[in-house]
Amino acid sequence: MIISKTPYRISFFGGGTDYPVWYKENGGAVLATTIDKYCYITCRYLPPFFRHNHRIVYSKVENVENISQIRHPSVRATLEYMGIENGVEIHHDGDLPARTGLGSSSSFTVGLLHSLYALKGVMPTSLRLANEAIHIERDVLKEHVGSQDQILAACGGFKKICFSGDDDFKLTPVIMNRDRLEELQNHIMLIFTGFSRIASKIAKSQIKNTHRKKPELASMCSMVDEALKILAENRDIKDFGRLLHESWKIKRSLTDKISTPEIDDIYNAAYKAGAIGGKLLGAGGGGFMILFVEPDKQSRVKKSLKNVLHVPFKFENAGSEIIFHTVSYEPVSDIETQLVTVSGPIKAQGKTKTKIVEVKKSRGTLIKTGKVRQ
């Protein structure tokens, strides 16, 4: 059995310049970080005792004979891409709801790729996971997606990502001392507007408007370096919040689908209560919003948003990880006896305990014989 843990992300500046329609001609950049809220994918080869060959569990449960019958687009495409021939069982669990602007769809794809590679005994690099997730979402599924979500989910951390015209990207870690990082983090509130949406539909509208919004997108891209200067030069941290406010005003003008009257009401109420800036995360239309608020004014902002959920969070640096792994085997048709290495969790107090167990394999099922060899 394999369990992967893949983070969600919040994006501060440059969103919209990570679409190929923009960066292939103009270059692009984003400033974003992953947070300590995760997508968990549990994966194993399915024992041959069931009428179905594949079992997929998310907000729905799918029991199917063939991969082509799977309704979940990312699961179907990823299993086909990975060349999975044997029955598998996949479970998804998330700390936060999907379709809410935190890059959850890409975290799912990256986590599923990571789990399936581990099931095959392969340890892919973070960059490989990012590139293959982009390929699946953009080229296979034909979704209207940018490139930052997959990269951040795979690599993790507080990063500046630059995109070039040849579909390449460069990752630069944002380095700050601990006090400055905590100061930034303590000024950011993550709130849930209560509205979810399908990001690809909103992104499609934004992509169509790209040629008419070049000055706006260029300005949003330039804000990435301006934000880094604020952090690096130890300027007043409130300048970061003011820049967020300017960025939000530009973002909501890119298409009429990004904001709604309800979202505007939430933002305006928070702003009047003391928020310096903020923005809706992801493509827009609903989901999560970040607000930049001085710590001593956050309780006042919370009171002004009575029906809005506040979600505490921390920055994280790990990216997608395999947090549980036991050796899995390709099912075989005949019965054979062999020695199998059975390992516990990868991170068990810094050590991996291993024992050798003699087993028999019958139609892919491991049957212990009771003989244990240390």
Side-chain angles (χ1 to χ4, degrees):
M1 179 177 286
I2 309 296
I3 303 176
S4 65
K5 174 185 176 184
T6 306
Y8 300 140
R9 64 97 185 98
I10 57 176
S11 180
F12 296 115
F13 298 100
T17 70
D18 62 324
Y19 290 104
V21 67
W22 171 262
Y23 68 67
K24 284 188 175 182
E25 181 179 344
N26 306 282
V30 298
L31 182 65
T33 184
T34 47
I35 61 174
D36 63 347
K37 300 293 180 280
Y38 302 93
C39 160
Y40 298 89
I41 302 291
T42 304
C43 183
R44 66 167 182 156
Y45 285 119
L46 191 66
F49 307 116
F50 306 96
R51 294 180 178 178
H52 52 269
N53 289 328
H54 305 284
R55 180 176 173 83
I56 317 300
V57 181
Y58 49 110
S59 58
K60 300 178 181 178
V61 178
E62 296 191 49
N63 297 317
V64 300
E65 291 293 321
N66 304 304
I67 291 176
S68 61
Q69 297 172 321
I70 296 174
R71 299 181 63 185
H72 193 294
S74 182
V75 174
R76 183 180 64 251
T78 304
L79 290 176
E80 290 175 346
Y81 175 80
M82 291 293 295
I84 300 298
E85 298 178 353
N86 304 302
V88 292
E89 183 171 19
I90 296 168
H91 286 248
H92 165 259
D93 295 282
D95 287 337
L96 298 173
R99 298 177 178 176
T100 52
L102 298 171
S104 59
S105 296
S106 294
S107 294
F108 181 95
T109 304
V110 168
L112 181 56
L113 274 170
H114 208 170
S115 292
L116 292 174
Y117 270 120
L119 199 62
K120 286 188 164 190
V122 177
M123 297 182 64
T125 65
S126 297
L127 293 181
R128 180 177 179 180
L129 288 173
N131 279 308
E132 292 184 1
I134 291 171
H135 167 69
I136 289 171
E137 293 183 359
R138 184 179 298 156
D139 302 327
V140 178
L141 295 176
K142 306 298 182 183
E143 293 182 348
H144 301 282
V145 295
S147 302
Q148 63 167 309
D149 294 353
Q150 305 87 343
I151 297 167
L152 287 159
C155 302
F158 194 178
K159 299 287 198 303
K160 174 188 177 182
I161 312 174
C162 294
F163 302 93
S164 60
D166 57 359
D167 266 334
D168 197 9
F169 60 84
K170 178 182 178 181
L171 279 170
T172 304
V174 178
I175 307 299
M176 289 183 283
N177 63 53
R178 182 177 297 177
D179 290 343
R180 185 64 164 172
L181 185 64
E182 288 183 355
E183 183 182 28
L184 173 64
Q185 188 170 262
N186 290 339
H187 277 74
I188 300 171
M189 298 176 65
L190 180 65
I191 65 168
F192 183 50
T193 66
F195 311 105
S196 63
R197 77 289 180 273
I198 299 177
S200 185
K201 292 181 179 179
I202 299 170
K204 184 178 180 179
S205 175
Q206 181 177 326
I207 289 169
K208 285 183 177 179
N209 285 341
T210 295
H211 67 286
R212 296 196 298 269
K213 297 292 183 178
K214 287 188 175 183
E216 290 86 348
L217 287 165
S219 179
M220 292 173 69
C221 189
S222 69
M223 288 180 174
V224 170
D225 286 333
E226 178 63 22
L228 288 171
K229 287 181 181 179
I230 293 171
L231 296 175
E233 296 173 359
N234 284 323
R235 288 161 51 183
D236 188 344
I237 197 67
K238 292 193 291 291
D239 288 346
F240 194 95
R242 296 183 186 105
L243 195 63
L244 274 174
H245 180 65
E246 294 303 313
S247 176
W248 169 239
K249 289 194 295 184
I250 296 173
K251 177 176 178 174
R252 67 185 306 281
S253 73
L254 295 178
T255 168
D256 59 5
K257 298 183 183 301
I258 287 179
S259 191
T260 66
E262 293 81 6
I263 290 169
D264 287 342
D265 287 344
I266 292 171
Y267 186 86
N268 292 335
Y271 194 75
K272 290 178 181 178
I276 299 169
K279 58 168 289 192
L280 200 62
L281 295 174
F288 281 91
M289 175 184 288
I290 55 170
L291 297 171
F292 199 91
V293 189
E294 293 172 274
D296 60 352
K297 295 181 181 178
Q298 291 183 10
S299 60
R300 188 193 312 169
V301 170
K302 289 179 186 177
K303 289 179 182 178
S304 73
L305 305 174
K306 295 180 181 179
N307 298 318
V308 175
L309 180 65
H310 171 238
V311 180
F313 74 96
K314 298 289 184 182
F315 296 168
E316 77 96 60
N317 293 303
S320 185
E321 298 178 285
I322 299 298
I323 60 172
F324 184 83
H325 182 287
T326 56
V327 174
S328 300
Y329 297 86
E330 296 288 342
V332 293
S333 57
D334 57 339
I335 297 178
E336 57 181 281
T337 301
Q338 63 180 36
L339 297 181
V340 177
T341 301
V342 181
S343 300
I346 288 179
K347 296 181 179 178
Q349 299 178 349
K351 299 180 181 179
T352 300
K353 297 183 179 180
T354 303
K355 63 181 179 181
I356 306 300
V357 182
E358 186 176 290
V359 301
K360 287 186 177 181
K361 290 171 66 178
S362 176
R363 293 186 179 180
T365 304
L366 300 182
I367 308 170
K368 289 185 180 180
T369 63
K371 299 178 182 179
V372 178
R373 306 181 185 183
Q374 299 291 345

